[in-house]
Amino acid sequence: MDTTTTPLTLHPFTLADAERMLSGEVDPLDGWEGGYAFTDEPELLREYVQAVRETGDPAPFGPYLVRRASDGAAIGGVNLFGPPDADGVVEFEFGLVPAVRGQGLALHTVLETLALARSAGAAIARAGAEIANLPARRVLENAGLVEVARAADTVTYEIRL
């Protein structure tokens, strides 16, 4: 089931999506404004296919396509890793194509991801960002996540849901 906010939709990635992309088929609905696509990350696609075949569809966890609501173009992705661990933590990561950065869509993406994690029973959502990636860090902070750890090149953020 798609999850829609204004101005975007999170569309659950499917086994059929992954297999199609691995075979080189491009669906005009993929959009991929700016030229980015999951096909640029074949290892992610292969891992997803293998996981689905071994353990079944991870929904509501797993990868999502971020689509712009106005025209349906795929503008990025989210991966919601789950189910929650023993402490109720679910990790996620997100990315948008360069062509749409600076439009506030990343904040909408993170907020919708947090809502998904909450509805799936997570008590805490966690995400990391490279120290040098100030825009991603600001998006996480603006969504209410706070820094809980720092390594040589990454910052880890969390929020209680």
Side-chain angles (χ1 to χ4, degrees):
M1 169 187 281
D2 289 351
T3 301
T4 302
T5 64
T6 307
L8 57 85
T9 299
L10 297 186
H11 174 75
F13 200 69
T14 66
L15 182 60
D17 291 328
E19 289 174 333
R20 176 177 50 78
M21 289 179 179
L22 280 169
S23 74
E25 283 183 57
V26 177
D27 185 325
L29 295 176
D30 286 342
W32 295 112
E33 182 168 328
Y36 173 84
F38 278 122
T39 54
D40 296 337
E41 300 176 5
E43 69 283 349
L44 177 108
L45 293 172
R46 284 189 204 91
E47 288 172 12
Y48 174 73
V49 168
Q50 181 179 352
V52 169
R53 288 183 177 154
E54 289 176 1
T55 60
D57 185 351
F61 305 101
Y64 286 78
L65 297 173
V66 179
R67 294 189 181 276
R68 188 172 38 222
S70 63
D71 62 3
I75 59 169
V78 168
N79 205 339
L80 187 63
F81 303 98
D85 68 13
D87 296 322
V89 177
V90 169
E91 295 187 22
F92 72 95
E93 55 187 38
F94 70 98
L96 299 180
V97 297
V100 300
R101 292 181 185 156
Q103 299 176 23
L105 297 172
L107 180 58
H108 285 281
T109 300
V110 170
L111 292 172
E112 192 56 40
T113 301
L114 296 176
L116 275 170
R118 184 181 303 110
S119 70
I124 297 171
R126 179 182 297 148
E130 294 178 0
I131 288 174
N133 190 344
L134 291 176
R137 291 175 53 200
R138 295 301 167 254
V139 165
L140 293 169
E141 292 165 0
N142 288 336
L145 286 86
V146 296
E147 181 177 333
V148 295
R150 189 175 285 243
D153 59 348
T154 60
V155 180
T156 302
Y157 292 88
E158 288 185 354
I159 188 170
R160 183 160 292 283
L161 301 172

